[in-house]
Amino acid sequence: MLVWERPEPPNRPVPAPLSRELIVRAAIRLADADGLEAVSLRKVATVLDVRPMRLYGYIAGKEELLDLMVDAVHAEIRPVGEGRREVLRSLAEATRHAVHEHEWLADLLGGRPQLGPHALAGGEAVVAALDGVDVDAVMPVVAAVNAYAIGAVRREVAERRAERATGMDEKRWQASLGPYLERTFATGRFPALATVVRDAAHLDADHTFRIGLDFLLDGIEARIGR
C-alpha cells in the first residue's frame, strides 16, 4: 500500500505530537534552508523533538519522505486559466515558481511519475483543460510542457548554484570571458554565433522563459489545431 493510502497510527499520549504533515513540513524547512543533503530522518526527528524510531510509524524511510515532500509542494502547482493554452502556460509558470521557492525540487522533478494526491489534482486540472484534444495527444502535450519548464528551471538553478559556488554573478562571468570570446570570434570561425552574441538582445531569465514557452505553445496549437 502506498504511503498516501496507508492510515496513520492511532493517536496516543506522547511527549510531542506527530503526524505525516508535521514530518513533511519539518523536512521541507530543512531542505529549503540547506538542500536535500540536510534532510534525514534523524535531523527531522531532532527538529520535531522526537526519537527517530517514532517516524517509522508514519513513513517507511527517506524515499517515502521525499515523495511526500514533492507532493506537498505540488499543492503550490495548481494550473488555472481560461482555455488550454492558458492552463498549459500556468502549469509551466507555476512549476518554475515552485522550484524557485524550493530549489531542491529541481533535483526531484522529472523522474518517476508523481502520484500523490496534490500531483494528481494538478494533473486532472491540466488534462481537463485539454478536453477535445485527441486522447493520444494529451500526454505528449503535457510531457512537452513539463519537459520545457523543468529543463529551463534546472538551468536557472544550476546557474544560481554556480554563482554561489564561485562568487561570480552573470555580469562578472561575462566580463571574465568576454576577451576570450572576442579573440575567438575574431578568427571568423563562428560567424553565426558571433552575430547572435553581439547583436541579439540579452534577455533576463524571466523573458527568456516566457518567450521560449510561447514558441512551444504556438507549436502545440499549430499541431493539435490541424
Side-chain angles (χ1 to χ4, degrees):
M1 186 178 294
L2 295 177
V3 64
W4 300 289
E5 301 175 294
R6 198 167 62 238
E8 295 192 13
N11 291 327
R12 57 183 179 179
V14 292
L18 197 59
S19 67
R20 285 199 189 106
E21 182 179 359
L22 288 173
I23 292 169
V24 173
R25 284 181 183 176
I28 289 175
R29 288 197 300 272
L30 287 170
D32 286 347
D34 298 307
L36 287 178
E37 302 81 10
V39 178
S40 69
L41 297 186
R42 179 183 60 80
K43 290 179 180 178
V44 171
T46 298
V47 169
L48 296 173
D49 194 26
V50 300
R51 292 189 300 176
M53 288 305 297
R54 277 194 63 198
L55 272 56
Y56 287 100
Y58 298 84
I59 55 174
K62 186 172 179 179
E63 287 302 312
E64 280 195 353
L65 177 57
L66 294 177
D67 285 341
L68 289 167
M69 290 167 63
V70 172
D71 193 63
V73 175
H74 264 91
E76 303 172 23
I77 306 175
R78 287 297 172 90
V80 296
E82 294 294 329
R84 64 194 180 208
R85 184 184 181 103
E86 289 310 306
V87 171
L88 291 171
R89 178 186 299 282
S90 176
L91 169 64
E93 291 183 343
T95 299
R96 179 173 181 251
H97 179 75
V99 175
H100 281 301
E101 291 295 307
H102 310 281
E103 188 177 291
W104 53 269
L105 188 62
D107 301 316
L108 298 177
L109 286 178
R112 59 190 177 185
Q114 301 298 327
L115 301 177
H118 294 303
L120 291 176
E124 174 67 16
V126 174
V127 171
L130 294 173
D131 184 44
V133 174
D134 184 276
V135 68
D136 290 331
V138 170
M139 294 315 296
V141 165
V142 177
V145 174
N146 278 327
Y148 174 77
I150 293 169
V153 79
R154 277 182 172 168
R155 185 189 66 246
E156 293 171 11
V157 167
E159 291 174 355
R160 183 190 295 179
R161 288 171 174 172
E163 182 177 327
R164 289 200 299 264
T166 64
M168 294 179 66
D169 60 17
E170 184 178 9
K171 289 184 177 179
R172 289 183 180 179
W173 180 80
Q174 290 173 343
S176 173
L177 293 180
Y180 160 74
L181 287 178
E182 288 293 339
R183 292 192 303 271
T184 301
F185 290 156
T187 66
R189 293 164 53 203
F190 309 105
L193 279 174
T195 298
V196 171
V197 170
R198 288 172 177 156
D199 299 340
H202 291 267
L203 304 175
D204 62 20
D206 290 340
H207 283 89
T208 298
F209 181 85
R210 287 168 187 155
I211 290 174
L213 181 57
D214 277 334
F215 288 148
L216 175 61
L217 295 177
D218 287 347
I220 289 172
E221 283 298 320
R223 179 65 179 265
I224 65 179
R226 283 195 256 179

